[in-house]
Amino acid sequence: MPQHAPNRPVCRDCDGFPVVAITTGTRHPDGFRATLRVACPGCRGTGHVPTPAAAVRIAQVTR
């Protein structure tokens, strides 16, 4: 069965795993570990590389 979604290249910085949870070493009062969610700065948490036209628009907006 054909796929209709376009093929988007995977981010080379995060290899497609854009968000990670990092433990801080402390625990909440209920016993769970305190974690931080960090997104990949290369793809901004999407896991995919933007197309060249989109990259130009992103660069113009962030300046």
Side-chain angles (χ1 to χ4, degrees):
M1 187 171 253
Q3 296 292 326
H4 298 289
N7 184 15
R8 295 179 57 194
V10 176
C11 175
R12 67 179 178 87
D13 295 328
C14 65
D15 204 24
F17 296 95
V19 180
V20 296
I22 301 171
T23 182
T24 61
T26 60
R27 292 186 182 265
H28 293 289
D30 57 2
F32 287 101
R33 292 191 182 271
T35 58
L36 301 172
R37 290 177 50 110
V38 180
C40 171
C43 64
R44 296 188 178 160
T46 63
H48 298 283
V49 179
T51 59
V56 170
R57 285 192 303 258
I58 291 170
Q60 290 173 349
V61 170
T62 58
R63 287 185 190 178

